[in-house]
Amino acid sequence: MLSRKGIIPEEYVLTRLAEDPAEPRYRARERRARFVSKKGNCNVAHKNIREQGRFLQDVFTTLVDLKWPHTLLIFTMSFLCSWLLFAMVWWLIAFAHGDLAPSEGTTVPCVTSIHSFSSAFLFSIEVQVTIGFGGRMVTEECPLAILILIMQNIVGLMINAIMLGCIFMKTAQAHRRAETLIFSKHAVITLRHGRLCFMLRVGDLRKSMIISATIHMQVVRKTTSPEGEVVPLHQVDIPMENGVGGNSIFLVAPLIIYHVIDSNSPLYDLAPSDLHHHQDLEIIVILEGVVETTGITTQARTSYLADEILWGQRFVPIVAEEDGRYSVDYSKFGNTVKVPTPLCTARQLDEDRSLLDALTLASARGPLRKRSVAVAKVKPKFSISPDSLS
């Protein structure tokens, strides 16, 4: 965990990490089950799958998806079983040719120096692993032995290719790179260019870049159709915007990605009070790109429930120019500050723009009023009386 290694302080635990266990949780109602966890895992259990044979039709992917203990067990057993199988074949060839019985004649054996099953097992290992100690070898006496030698070499190469490829793919899986792609723990809703926007911050802890990085967002909620059909996980795509426009991002430094809440947005009727009571709302964010060093496509995911969205706050700047280069302070990655924001839905704000004008006027008068009050409280140090002037 990055926070345990001291890279990121504990008080700013990021969303790809587990939630802070020390954070108090006093909630009146049980929290909604996530569709996607903070770490990006899909919270879906597959049950009653009758056609289990479909997994065997794609053996390689099934082996890659297995856990490490199971993969190492299959890796070891595949070699042991092949060695034992061909050891039995070599022993039967020697037994059928009479090589196991001691003979004083000049009979040429099929395989030299095979006198028991143990010697046949050692010869099987030498053939498949191509060790060749020199004490045992196949002669031209038995054509069947030559055929078995060719078959065992082919089987050994196939096992090596499959198992080594499986282990390589498990060590180079794309989700390992996603561990250093981070999201802010909370999302915010505030004003930008006079419109309410849903914002989050995304960053990359590695210096190697993510090429052709794109970001997508979906709203998952429980809905009911006009015909009465209940859709427990209704997914709606909503556009994300960034400084350069579109879904493509240049993730060389942390970026604030935002979605403008307009009439086409599923958040158009979301009010501040709904964030504390709207238990069916979940916003999923998906970041996808190509790893620069390996060329493998990786994907990082996270989600935000309703109570993880902060209304009327904004992310603090974390990029500063120091000594001719830009530096990023990840200790402030998830920090936010309160800013003036209308406490209404985006629909109400579009219908009544005077709410925005009043908020702008109030925020402009705020500093002037505080300054006038401060000046009024200052007392003069010297007083001049009329008698002194005369």
Side-chain angles (χ1 to χ4, degrees), residues 35-99:
F35 184 55
V36 176
S37 67
K38 280 291 187 182
K39 294 183 179 181
N41 301 322
C42 296
N43 188 23
V44 179
H46 300 277
K47 297 181 179 180
N48 301 325
I49 301 178
R50 298 180 180 180
E51 299 181 2
Q52 297 287 346
R54 291 182 176 270
F55 295 99
L56 298 179
Q57 295 178 3
D58 188 7
V59 180
F60 186 78
T61 305
T62 303
L63 292 176
V64 173
D65 291 340
L66 290 177
K67 296 182 179 180
W68 270 109
H70 299 160
T71 302
L72 295 178
L73 178 62
I74 295 175
F75 179 82
T76 305
M77 293 303 299
S78 61
F79 285 103
L80 287 178
C81 291
S82 62
W83 294 340
L84 288 172
L85 175 63
F86 282 98
M88 180 62 68
V89 174
W90 291 119
W91 184 84
L92 290 175
I93 291 176
F95 177 79
H97 194 260
D99 299 337

Side-chain angles (χ1 to χ4, degrees), residues 351-362:
E351 294 176 352
D352 188 4
R353 301 299 295 181
S354 62
L355 298 175
L356 181 60
D357 298 337
L359 182 66
T360 305
L361 183 60

Side-chain angles (χ1 to χ4, degrees), residues 54-185:
R54 291 182 176 270
F55 295 99
L56 298 179
Q57 295 178 3
D58 188 7
V59 180
F60 186 78
T61 305
T62 303
L63 292 176
V64 173
D65 291 340
L66 290 177
K67 296 182 179 180
W68 270 109
H70 299 160
T71 302
L72 295 178
L73 178 62
I74 295 175
F75 179 82
T76 305
M77 293 303 299
S78 61
F79 285 103
L80 287 178
C81 291
S82 62
W83 294 340
L84 288 172
L85 175 63
F86 282 98
M88 180 62 68
V89 174
W90 291 119
W91 184 84
L92 290 175
I93 291 176
F95 177 79
H97 194 260
D99 299 337
L100 299 180
S103 60
E104 297 180 357
T106 59
T107 304
V108 179
C110 293
V111 181
T112 60
S113 301
I114 289 185
H115 307 291
S116 63
F117 182 79
S118 298
S119 58
F121 181 73
L122 291 175
F123 180 72
S124 176
I125 296 177
E126 293 176 12
V127 170
Q128 187 164 330
V129 189
T130 64
I131 296 176
F133 292 114
R136 301 175 181 87
M137 63 179 181
V138 179
T139 64
E140 66 274 9
E141 182 69 17
C142 302
L144 180 61
I146 300 176
L147 179 61
I148 297 299
L149 178 66
I150 297 174
M151 290 179 59
Q152 185 171 5
N153 277 277
I154 295 175
V155 171
L157 290 175
M158 292 179 62
I159 294 177
N160 287 335
I162 294 175
M163 298 310 302
L164 293 179
C166 175
I167 291 180
F168 171 77
M169 290 302 298
K170 285 186 69 66
T171 55
Q173 282 184 337
H175 67 84
R176 302 298 181 187
R177 178 62 175 88
E179 294 295 332
T180 52
L181 298 174
I182 55 178
F183 302 89
S184 56
K185 184 177 180 180

Side-chain angles (χ1 to χ4, degrees), residues 177-198:
R177 178 62 175 88
E179 294 295 332
T180 52
L181 298 174
I182 55 178
F183 302 89
S184 56
K185 184 177 180 180
H186 295 89
V188 299
I189 293 180
T190 186
L191 287 174
R192 174 173 284 190
H193 304 303
R195 305 295 298 270
L196 285 176
C197 298
F198 174 88

